Amino acid sequence: MEPEYSSTVVEHFEHPRNGGHFEAGEGVIRGTAGSVAQGTMFVLSAQVAEERIEAVRFEAYGCPHCIAAGSWLSERLVGLSREQLRAWRWRDADQALQFPLEKRGRLLILEDAVRALSEAWTRLIP
Amino acid sequence: MTPSHKSSSPAIYLDYAATTPVDPRVAELMIECLRPEGAHGNPSSGHTFGTRARSMIEKARQQVAAAIGARPECIIWTSGATESDNLAILGVARFHADRGRHVVTSRTEHKAVVDAFKQLEKEGFEVTWLKPGTDGIVRPEQVREALRPETQLVSLMHVNNETGVIQDVAAIGAICRERGVAFHVDAAQSAGKLPINVEAMNIDLLSLTAHKAYGPKGIGVLYIRRRPPLGLRPISYGGGQETGLRSGTLPTHQIVGMGLAFEIGEREREADVTRLSALRERLLKGLLAIGGVELNGHPTERVAGVLNVCFHNVEGESLRFGLRELAVSSGSACASGSDEASYVLRALGRSDQLAQSSIRFSLGRFTTEDDVDRAIAIVSREVGRLRALAPTSTPTP
């Protein structure tokens, strides 16, 4: 018995936005969390300029909810400032994608990836 | 939450090891029994309606007996292989408990066997759980080494339901017979796929089900050796049908269906096996071409229609959801509602990750080359898509 998925999850799973990554370079930041061995892993990379996120790419190893969350998030992060990125929390994704209770831990891994991305931005010389 | 279906076209059915459709020839005969003018009487009744039903049941008993090289009086009707397994294992162990409380099985048996043995453990029996090799095979020598003077029963399946791997039950049967230990075989997955002869294979108890052999669900058989008598205690009580071993009104239409399904299965077995072997090889070749795909279980000691493979660098739940145009299984459909890694594949040494990203494809009588080719294309597309989304640091062998 497979779990059921919300229409938003199905849409992002079938048509993921912004899959892939930016190669390291000027204005590129990267945040990673989780592992394949754990069953969930996210890699976020972003192109930043003028104190805003210009573009985001995601890679995900995980269940359909995780892939959908990576895709959904990649659209939401565009345009955020450093402060806004630092303030991002998992509940936004949960509300949009209706994660089952037993899978909410995977959203914490996504939040860790966002935090790692934010920290990478902090380290980036302006 | 709304379940989604990728396409409105019907899924490709590649789950024959979970259950088969009823062969139309079987369905037709079954329907005849249900109509007012058919054999709807209670087979225990003495009037003509009852005797007509009884005669059809006895014909079916002969059909099933002939398919496994048994005498008809050794065939007991049950509700399916789960009940047959329980009756065989609990029935023999409890009957002989005063002579010894040691029993033997393997870690990769069907849940119906595993859980019956766990019940025996609760009742104070000692169970030896044999560990198969990474190819899924329990060597006959492992069985010989496990036997003790107080061992009452060995139970091993003929064909594994998840991997399709074949056990050498004839060699194990010979060892058990030599040592005077009852030998039970769950043959739910081998009927109609492999030759079975309970006499030649020294099998004392054999579980069968109709619904994996193009018969109806809800009917099965336990073969019980009668000479010399085996000694078996029933697990349910009532009207004393089936020589008191399995009480309950016999379902004529299901029994008749099972009888004909087994007759057809045996008659058409060789042709089916030849055709399915070719289709399975076609499927395997197509899947291996994707890359990062490994076969689970022994490469050659397997039944024709079953292929279990694991996909590296693809998460299991996403893979299964991505493949929902295909009716396939991960692990056993009989262990419903569980997303835990298959205990069978774990026992073969697969990691949790690889066990979860394993898929069982099982082909059958109505599978076509076109089904196989479409399945390969769908798997290739989804595995490629999911791998492209996966972090690039995760290696694909």
Side-chain angles (χ1 to χ4, degrees), chain A residues 17 20 23 27 33 40 55 62 67 73 83 88-89 96 99 111-112 114 122 125:
Chain A
R17 281 65 136 172
E23 295 297 337
T40 303
I67 288 170
L73 183 70
E83 277 309 307
W88 190 85
R89 294 293 178 267
F99 263 57
E111 187 179 296
D112 285 346
V114 173
T122 306
I125 298 165

Side-chain angles (χ1 to χ4, degrees), chain B residues 55-127:
Chain B
S55 126
M56 292 183 80
I57 284 171
E58 294 315 315
K59 183 185 173 190
R61 204 186 297 273
Q62 288 169 10
Q63 289 168 313
V64 174
I68 59 169
R71 290 198 307 274
E73 64 269 26
C74 300
I75 300 297
I76 298 292
W77 301 111
T78 66
S79 61
T82 291
E83 186 188 341
S84 298
D85 289 340
N86 275 266
L87 178 57
I89 294 162
L90 301 176
V92 166
R94 287 170 180 168
F95 187 91
H96 296 289
D98 56 342
R99 285 171 37 195
R101 298 173 81 84
H102 177 242
V103 287
V104 177
T105 188
S106 91
R107 296 185 191 181
T108 53
E109 296 300 303
H110 189 277
K111 284 287 275 180
V113 168
V114 169
D115 284 3
F117 274 89
K118 284 183 178 170
Q119 176 58 33
L120 287 179
E121 281 184 323
K122 287 181 194 159
E123 294 175 19
F125 286 82
E126 190 187 343
V127 179

Side-chain angles (χ1 to χ4, degrees), chain B residues 87 90-91 94-95 232-237 243-247:
Chain B
L87 178 57
L90 301 176
R94 287 170 180 168
F95 187 91
L232 186 141
R233 185 181 294 174
I235 56 173
S236 61
Y237 300 89
T243 60
L245 289 173
R246 205 281 186 173
S247 290

Side-chain angles (χ1 to χ4, degrees), chain A residues 69-88:
Chain A
S71 168
W72 176 87
L73 183 70
S74 72
E75 292 186 314
R76 297 301 179 287
L77 295 186
V78 174
L80 296 196
S81 66
R82 290 174 195 251
E83 277 309 307
Q84 287 169 319
L85 183 67
R86 194 177 299 130
W88 190 85

Side-chain angles (χ1 to χ4, degrees), chain B residues 126-279:
Chain B
E126 190 187 343
V127 179
T128 295
W129 299 93
L130 299 173
K131 186 179 187 320
T134 53
D135 56 7
I137 289 183
V138 175
R139 289 177 296 107
E141 278 315 301
Q142 286 178 270
V143 176
R144 187 189 294 279
E145 287 159 16
L147 296 182
R148 306 173 190 169
E150 70 272 23
T151 307
Q152 296 304 324
L153 175 72
V154 170
S155 176
L156 290 168
M157 67 206 316
H158 195 184
V159 167
N160 186 273
N161 53 310
E162 291 194 30
T163 61
V165 166
I166 303 166
Q167 303 293 350
D168 187 355
V169 291
I172 295 165
I175 293 169
C176 292
R177 186 61 54 90
E178 178 192 314
R179 299 283 292 270
V181 175
F183 182 40
H184 167 248
V185 173
D186 181 331
Q189 293 287 349
S190 57
K193 302 178 183 79
L194 293 173
I196 300 173
N197 187 307
V198 288
E199 296 288 343
M201 293 171 156
N202 290 310
I203 294 168
D204 300 307
L205 301 129
L206 184 99
S207 299
L208 295 168
T209 191
H211 80 97
K212 294 183 195 287
Y214 308 95
K217 295 167 184 62
I219 185 70
V221 150
L222 178 62
Y223 158 81
I224 305 173
R225 189 195 77 208
R226 295 288 192 183
R227 291 182 204 161
L230 195 60
L232 186 141
R233 185 181 294 174
I235 56 173
S236 61
Y237 300 89
Q241 288 90 343
E242 300 299 275
T243 60
L245 289 173
R246 205 281 186 173
S247 290
T249 300
L250 293 173
T252 310
H253 62 299
Q254 287 171 291
I255 289 172
V256 163
M258 182 166 182
L260 182 58
F262 271 59
E263 185 188 294
I264 293 170
E266 195 49 27
R267 195 168 62 227
E268 300 181 358
R269 180 165 52 79
E270 283 187 25
D272 265 1
V273 166
T274 304
R275 198 180 73 83
L276 288 177
S277 297
L279 286 178

